[in-house]
Amino acid sequence: MAVLKVIEVLANSDKSWEDATKNALDQATKSVKNIRSVYINEQSATVKDGKIDNYRVNVKITFEVQ
């Protein structure tokens, strides 16, 4: 039986929510091993001059504890 743990990570991007999610995963892989899944919990954006300025995500990352 595997033991799994979930952490929450906040990340952003000036390109897209997908890129913000990739940034969250890239950052998490620097210190967390055995990542199994990423769940996008929340998306938001900031607006400047009527256009999206920054994409933000709150993701839950699940990994196996060894």
Side-chain angles (χ1 to χ4, degrees):
M1 176 174 98
V3 176
L4 303 176
K5 184 171 183 171
V6 178
I7 58 172
E8 222 168 310
V9 177
L10 305 173
N12 65 344
S13 168
D14 57 358
K15 296 178 185 175
S16 67
W17 283 296
E18 291 86 358
D19 192 54
T21 303
K22 181 183 176 303
N23 291 343
L25 184 59
D26 289 347
Q27 193 64 34
T29 57
K30 292 179 182 178
S31 60
V32 177
K33 297 182 187 210
N34 304 315
I35 293 176
R36 296 270 185 99
S37 65
V38 176
Y39 171 76
I40 300 170
N41 193 38
E42 187 175 323
Q43 296 175 311
S44 64
T46 57
V47 176
K48 184 176 181 180
D49 297 326
K51 296 186 179 184
I52 293 179
D53 180 49
N54 204 309
Y55 298 86
R56 298 175 178 173
V57 292
N58 177 337
V59 299
K60 292 186 176 184
I61 296 177
T62 304
F63 61 97
E64 184 177 350
V65 178
Q66 303 252 329

